[in-house]
Amino acid sequence: MNLFQQLYKSIYSPKDIVTFRFQGIGKTIRYVFLLVLISILPTTVQFITFSSSSLQFVKESLENDIPSFSIENGSLTSEENQPLTVEKDDMIIIFDSTGKIEEGDLELEGNTIAFLENQLVVINDGNRQTNSYSAFSQFSVTDEMIIDVIDSILSLKWILLPAALLILYLFASGLMFLKVSIFAMIGVLIANLIKRNMKYRQSFRVAAYSATVSTLFFTLMKVLQTSIAAAPLLDWFVMTVIMYLVIKEIPRPKSNA
């Protein structure tokens, strides 16, 4: 049975998952890497789209729509006395050197880049990242310098993007292997509680395939851009339930009586 057949079986069949506990560890590791690849696909698409089209939009806006400015002593300054908003498709750029707009006033939905008086705020599909201008307190940054940096990034994007995505994949893989390792210990505990024989190495294999349903579900939610309340708790609950159902399929040890 290849990895994709195992993926399909792992969605609905605890009886099949329990048979995977005897397979080689190499195949299980490859399966975990496959799950990680699936899980980061929505993020990868968003990242590529955001880093390409959005950077080009920011560059064009800085050149044509936003007045000249500088960042000095941790503060954005310009001759503009009113906040400006530039919109294109699903991307919004907000420029406010007056201090009238604060971080809390920004909508979390959609994609927004906000040049505020004391900080740069980037919002990408509900994820907000705030960067204070205090990091530039020792020197001055102008709009021309930012345009030059964007030009450099765009010219090197086919080198920078694969490197960034590789780092993302390795980081996500590390987290997935950590989760599977933790649930392998939980699986051994469950096996002891319901009187089933299962060693840690077998539990590791079971945990890897038990992660399938929650991984696919949360990947689909990312595609649909739907947020789930208490997502980590739901993820761990679903995985625990599936592991319990899988371990129940292990035959009870025969009594010596």
Side-chain angles (χ1 to χ4, degrees):
M1 189 180 296
N2 63 40
L3 294 181
F4 292 99
Q5 290 173 322
Q6 289 184 321
L7 178 70
Y8 175 69
K9 293 287 187 180
S10 298
I11 295 174
Y12 68 91
S13 179
K15 288 184 178 180
D16 283 294
I17 293 177
V18 78
T19 64
F20 301 155
R21 73 189 190 277
F22 296 119
Q23 72 179 16
I25 188 62
K27 190 171 186 179
T28 304
I29 290 174
R30 291 196 299 273
Y31 186 81
V32 173
F33 280 124
L34 174 62
L35 283 184
V36 174
L37 181 61
I38 293 172
S39 71
I40 68 169
L41 283 178
T43 303
T44 299
V45 173
Q46 292 173 4
F47 181 76
I48 292 175
T49 302
F50 185 79
S51 59
S52 299
S53 61
S54 298
L55 279 176
Q56 185 63 41
F57 173 49
V58 171
K59 176 189 171 184
E60 293 173 357
S61 298
L62 290 174
E63 291 174 335
N64 304 316
D65 303 304
I66 294 176
S68 297
F69 64 86
S70 64
I71 300 173
E72 299 179 49
N73 299 318
S75 181
L76 175 67
T77 58
S78 76
E79 295 182 356
E80 187 66 38
N81 56 13
Q82 291 292 332
L84 294 177
T85 300
V86 183
E87 297 186 39
K88 180 181 179 182
D89 298 328
D90 62 343
M91 184 73 192
I92 300 173
I93 293 181
I94 296 173
F95 180 84
D96 178 30
S97 58
T98 67
K100 294 180 180 179
I101 299 178
E102 298 181 356
E103 180 184 350
D105 300 326
L106 302 175
E107 297 279 345
L108 279 178
E109 297 180 0
N111 299 316
T112 302
I113 297 178
F115 294 88
L116 304 183
E117 184 181 25
N118 299 307
Q119 57 200 352
L120 173 69
V121 181
V122 179
I123 298 173
N124 182 25
D125 293 323
N127 299 311
R128 173 166 32 202
Q129 182 177 355
T130 302
N131 301 281
S132 174
Y133 298 142
S134 59
F136 308 117
S137 59
Q138 302 301 319
F139 55 93
S140 175
V141 176
T142 65
D143 52 314
E144 289 88 355
M145 293 171 63
I146 295 176
I147 292 172
D148 289 341
V149 170
I150 294 176
D151 276 331
S152 299
I153 293 174
L154 290 174
S155 65
L156 296 172
K157 67 179 180 180
W158 298 119
I159 297 175
L160 298 176
L161 277 177
L165 293 175
L166 177 61
I167 292 172
L168 171 65
Y169 182 62
L170 293 176
F171 179 74
S173 297
L175 291 179
M176 179 65 82
F177 276 105
L178 176 61
K179 183 170 86 167
V180 170
S181 299
I182 293 172
F183 271 94
M185 292 186 286
I186 294 175
V188 172
L189 177 61
I190 293 174
N192 290 334
L193 289 175
I194 63 175
K195 296 180 172 57
R196 300 295 196 274
N197 287 331
M198 187 173 69
K199 297 180 180 179
Y200 179 84
R201 62 178 181 272
Q202 296 173 337
S203 185
F204 183 89
R205 294 163 172 82
V206 168
Y209 291 94
S210 297
T212 303
V213 171
S214 60
T215 298
L216 296 180
F217 173 76
F218 285 107
T219 301
L220 178 61
M221 291 301 100
K222 289 180 183 177
V223 171
L224 299 176
Q225 297 184 6
T226 302
S227 60
I228 304 296
L233 292 178
L234 179 61
D235 179 22
W236 284 53
F237 173 76
V238 170
M239 195 166 167
T240 301
V241 170
I242 293 175
M243 286 199 68
Y244 171 76
L245 295 175
V246 172
I247 295 169
K248 273 188 65 178
E249 296 295 330
I250 299 175
R252 286 180 180 271
K254 293 181 180 181
S255 174
N256 295 325

